[in-house]
Amino acid sequence: MKAFRRMIGLAVVAGLAAGCESLDGFDLDNGGGGGGGGAFSQGFVFVRARDVLAVDEKGDPNAPLRLTTQGNAYEPTVAPNGRSVAYVYRDRARGVVELRSVPTTGQGQTSTVFALTQSTCPGCTDIRYPTFNPGSTQLVFTVAQGGSSSLARVDADGRGFVRFNNGNIGINSHGAASFLPNGQSVLSAGGASLNLHNQLVLTDMTSGLAQVYSFNLGNEAQSVVNRVAVSPDGAQVAFDGQTSSGTSAIFVAALGQTLGRVTQLTRHPGESGVSDSWPSWRGSTEVGFLSNAGGNDNIYRISIATTGTGTLVVPSALEPSYGGR
């Protein structure tokens, strides 16, 4: 436990009506992005029609930059340096599951970082939730094996694959991981099974040492649906939590020696059945997320100083992630 406290302590020290509002939060007058190529340094990457697209902060959210054309793309994540995007390529018909990367120029070729085979990862059946380390040199993701999943790491150039043992802490499955600012450890949701990620786990990326950081997610969130996201300053965490109504919402909490008070950030009064998911930080005071409010999947943003429905920023998107610089 002392080692765990040192891990989290060092990391912290180092570190609106849905569907009805106009697009906001991006500069629509200064170029960038677009379907024909252009500059990307910081913004959202997401999936549309199973290809990866991107919208720069200075780009037009109605004309995103297309990064892939092969389809079968899932769960993209943009490198902190803004130069490349990693994503899962999954072609079940051909039995192909790969971790791929593509430049953010919109004009480069995709490359395979890691191919999931019986020789590279015996017994593994799927890859999910890739995320870059702060230095853009490594990727952490989950690999599924039977009814469990574990964290794995590989260098951005495809070398040095390591799969971490879940250990003896009662965690048999991990969700998406998020690096703390020190780049040495990640926070992920975990649990006893693939369908119940109801705890937060801190894992050292060098030693593989894992400790349960929090045994609960507060009073309203029952489990994490997809992603845990640590803020750039390491002070807070956002996650998409399933509620008792069967829908999901975005929650935030302070990170310290223990998990601080958990607050439900997104709410949709007067509209039932809305789910908000896939949170990612847009700076340290605002969270971007996916919402199906109004019957469509769009990217919204919301300040952590308020609660509500958020503001629409990118239409027609799935599995968004914000990053770059």
Side-chain angles (χ1 to χ4, degrees):
M1 181 58 70
K2 290 182 179 178
F4 164 62
R5 288 175 178 171
R6 285 196 296 271
M7 288 164 64
I8 188 67
L10 288 172
V12 171
V13 169
L16 313 213
C20 298
E21 300 192 19
S22 60
L23 297 179
D24 187 58
F26 282 69
D27 182 348
L28 303 185
D29 300 317
N30 288 325
F40 179 95
S41 61
Q42 186 176 47
F44 283 104
V45 295
F46 55 94
V47 168
R48 182 183 295 168
R50 285 300 151 203
D51 273 310
V52 179
L53 290 85
V55 173
D56 187 77
E57 280 285 347
K58 294 183 178 180
D60 182 352
N62 290 301
L65 178 66
R66 181 178 295 275
L67 302 184
T68 71
T69 58
Q70 302 95 343
N72 298 308
Y74 296 80
E75 301 167 2
T77 181
V78 61
N81 63 18
R83 298 174 185 171
S84 63
V85 170
Y87 64 98
V88 178
Y89 178 86
R90 189 181 297 125
D91 186 346
R92 294 297 192 191
R94 297 193 299 126
V96 177
V97 180
E98 296 180 349
L99 181 61
R100 292 186 175 184
S101 68
V102 63
T104 54
T105 60
Q107 300 169 337
Q109 297 296 314
T110 62
S111 60
T112 298
V113 178
F114 176 76
L116 191 66
T117 65
Q118 288 304 303
S119 61
T120 60
C121 192
C124 298
T125 57
D126 201 6
I127 293 173
R128 292 204 69 183
Y129 307 123
T131 188
F132 281 94
N133 70 337
S136 305
T137 59
Q138 292 182 333
L139 284 155
V140 169
F141 50 98
T142 68
V143 287
Q145 185 181 43
S148 66
S149 67
S150 55
L151 295 178
R153 185 195 70 213
V154 70
D155 293 343
D157 62 5
R159 295 181 294 182
F161 171 74
V162 177
R163 182 174 59 165
F164 295 102
N165 191 321
N166 285 331
N168 298 314
I169 58 174
I171 301 297
N172 296 317
S173 179
H174 288 265
S178 180
F179 273 92
L180 277 73
N182 64 3
Q184 299 173 5
S185 53
V186 297
L187 190 70
S188 65
S193 68
L194 287 171
N195 299 318
L196 189 62
H197 291 167
N198 59 355
Q199 301 175 52
L200 297 182
V201 182
L202 192 71
T203 304
D204 186 283
M205 285 290 100
T206 301
S207 67
L209 173 68
Q211 295 283 344
V212 175
Y213 171 64
S214 178
F215 286 95
N216 65 76
L217 303 171
N219 297 323
E220 296 179 273
Q222 298 179 341
S223 63
V224 174
V225 178
N226 289 299
R227 177 185 290 160
V228 164
V230 176
S231 62
D233 60 6
Q236 299 181 87
V237 63
F239 59 88
D240 48 0
Q242 183 171 344
T243 67
S244 59
S245 68
T247 60
S248 59
I250 306 301
F251 294 82
V252 293
L255 289 176
Q257 291 297 318
T258 59
L259 188 69
R261 183 173 67 91
V262 180
T263 300
Q264 184 173 333
L265 192 61
T266 60
R267 296 180 183 274
H268 298 268
E271 186 177 7
S272 62
V274 176
S275 282
D276 303 322
S277 58
W278 296 98
S280 57
W281 289 87
R282 189 170 176 253
S284 293
T285 61
E286 191 172 83
V287 176
F289 62 98
L290 180 72
S291 180
N292 65 354
N296 298 302
D297 292 308
N298 304 309
I299 302 174
Y300 292 77
R301 66 176 181 86
I302 188 169
S303 167
I304 61 172
T306 186
T307 61
T309 59
T311 301
L312 176 65
V313 289
V314 180
S316 186
L318 291 172
E319 300 158 18
S321 181
Y322 186 90
R325 61 185 178 200

